Amino acid sequence: MLRNRKALLLLVLILSMVVTLSACGKNDKADDEIRIGVLAPMTGAAATYGESTWNAVVLAAEERNSKGGINGKEIKLFLEDTRLDANEGANGATKLIEQDKVHGIIGAVASSVSMAASSVAQRNEVPMISPTSTNEAVTKQGDFIFRACFIDPFQGYVMAKFAIEELGAKTAAVIYDNGNDYTVGLTENFVKAFEEMGGTVTAKETYAANDQNFSAQLTKIRRDEPDVLFLPDYYNVVGLIARQARDMGIQSTFLGGDGWDSPDLAKIAGPSIEGGYFSNHYSPDNKSPIAEHFIDAYRAKHGSTPDALAALAYDAALVLFEAIERADSTDGKAIRDAMASISNFEVVSGSITFDENRNPVKSAVVLQVDNVHKNSNDEWEAEQKFIKMVNP
Ligand code: PHE
């Protein structure tokens, strides 16, 4: 009996040493590097969003590491593909936190995905900053959740005001995905602002994710010949609707939001999208010194002009790096507090000061799809013409 107890004690002692040693090893490793997770749609229907986001975060991290990292610690990135799906967003966040032990998360891109991922981040007290999710509810998930972009109430207002004041529109129709937080929120905000400014909304038609044929809804919209047709979705869907609407003889001016920003919009829509206007976070034509540096460095590294997703992902990375530097710690609460205190912080898309809901107050730009033409690969492509800047 006594011998057994001794043996047991010895075993417990050895086991606890092993556990302590391995925990030590892990902590040491985690302590001398800054681990940052990225959630982005690398595959699926809107993969250009993921490519831009990841390219920009990689650039920001490389630049920072070449200058000694953050307080002498090297940044290490971990990527999870959300495929533009809310469940994948939650799973990705869980993996980043539990397996990769990240100290902060940049992402997600789409509002519905950020909503799912942010509840995981909040519960685990890991700070998260979405570069691009504009639905108002995203940061309301809790005090660990921030964003680097303006929100949809502003974006909806900007486009309604533009339609009425600059285009002289009196009537508008909307067609949107009623299962997508981004399109629902943007529709509500556009409609509210358009009606408040004296406009009439002639139709509010809906569809579901993965729908390909919009002729029933467009037939109803066509009856009233609205001055503008608001298309508040991602480029892959906007491209399809725009094409079908023009094929059916709808002549309304097309309007939309930041979801239009992709080189693939014109590829899908062809000439049907020519002349359409959308609100966005940045224009490569609007150059501050930091934007100029970013555009040049991005072009040199990735061979293309950065879109707004790239600009905002770079900005979100700069904000997170700054917060970790100020916190001088990888503790989630310390990083959260440091991030909340950031103000007048110059980034590519403007300047960041967080309000009480962890939203930056920023201006928007209105861009026009211009010069839709075939490129040397026989694919449609377009330019984005800067029309105006709108301050909050
Ligand atoms: N604002 C969109 C959303 O919340 C995402 C997006 C931003 C897409 C910018 C394209 C460009 O879902």
Side-chain angles (χ1 to χ4, degrees), residues 144-158:
F144 282 81
I145 316 302
F146 296 74
R147 78 179 105 214
C149 51
F150 54 63
I151 55 177
D152 287 332
F154 178 57
Q155 189 170 201
Y157 158 83
V158 164

Side-chain angles (χ1 to χ4, degrees), residues 63-298:
E63 288 180 344
R64 186 77 195 220
N65 280 338
S66 74
K67 291 188 200 131
I70 303 176
N71 295 331
K73 293 179 181 173
E74 193 182 357
I75 298 162
K76 203 169 161 199
L77 299 177
F78 297 84
L79 172 65
E80 285 296 317
D81 179 6
T82 62
R83 302 204 294 256
L84 215 69
D85 178 283
N87 287 330
E88 295 295 327
N91 293 341
T94 304
K95 176 155 179 284
L96 290 173
I97 293 168
E98 288 179 1
Q99 216 163 303
D100 303 325
K101 309 263 185 257
V102 298
H103 301 121
I105 294 175
I106 297 169
V109 170
S111 290
S112 298
V113 183
S114 285
M115 229 95 104
S118 60
S119 67
V120 178
Q122 178 68 30
R123 200 171 344 110
N124 287 280
E125 304 194 330
V126 173
M128 166 172 155
I129 177 164
S130 168
T132 46
S133 291
T134 44
N135 185 286
E136 209 180 354
V138 169
T139 55
K140 295 199 169 152
Q141 305 273 333
D143 57 353
F144 282 81
I145 316 302
F146 296 74
R147 78 179 105 214
C149 51
F150 54 63
I151 55 177
D152 287 332
F154 178 57
Q155 189 170 201
Y157 158 83
V158 164
M159 290 318 286
K161 188 166 153 67
F162 182 78
I164 288 183
E165 288 182 3
E166 313 277 327
L167 303 178
K170 301 212 163 10
T171 53
V174 188
I175 173 167
Y176 67 102
D177 177 349
N178 58 4
N180 176 325
D181 294 310
Y182 166 67
T183 69
V184 171
L186 192 48
T187 295
E188 278 168 9
N189 288 298
F190 173 82
V191 165
K192 185 166 165 268
F194 193 79
E195 288 178 340
E196 273 171 14
M197 287 182 244
T200 304
V201 174
T202 57
K204 261 176 84 179
E205 294 296 319
T206 61
Y207 52 86
N210 303 322
D211 282 0
Q212 304 279 318
N213 185 329
F214 306 91
S215 54
Q217 298 94 320
L218 290 171
T219 302
K220 290 191 199 153
I221 286 171
R222 186 174 55 188
R223 269 181 227 147
D224 301 300
E225 299 183 0
D227 297 326
V228 296
L229 175 55
F230 193 54
L231 305 175
D233 207 333
Y234 304 131
Y235 67 89
N236 56 312
V237 185
V238 171
L240 290 180
I241 299 177
R243 211 178 245 276
Q244 290 177 26
R246 286 287 183 256
D247 284 350
M248 289 174 58
I250 292 178
Q251 285 169 15
S252 319
T253 302
F254 295 149
L255 304 181
D258 54 357
W260 283 32
D261 193 13
S262 170
D264 285 2
L265 174 63
K267 228 185 247 177
I268 301 166
S272 71
I273 201 68
E274 174 83 36
Y277 297 95
F278 65 105
S279 48
N280 209 357
H281 305 267
Y282 127 109
S283 157
D285 298 335
N286 243 331
K287 286 192 188 168
S288 61
I290 179 167
E292 204 152 347
H293 159 79
F294 167 68
I295 294 165
D296 290 347
Y298 189 98

Side-chain angles (χ1 to χ4, degrees), residues 317-349:
L318 297 190
V319 169
L320 182 57
F321 298 168
E322 175 75 11
I324 296 172
E325 182 185 329
R326 287 190 194 183
D328 197 13
S329 158
T330 49
D331 175 65
K333 286 199 184 96
I335 298 172
R336 173 202 61 189
D337 292 344
M339 199 176 304
S341 78
I342 283 174
S343 71
N344 298 317
F345 184 65
E346 289 305 316
V347 290
V348 174
S349 59

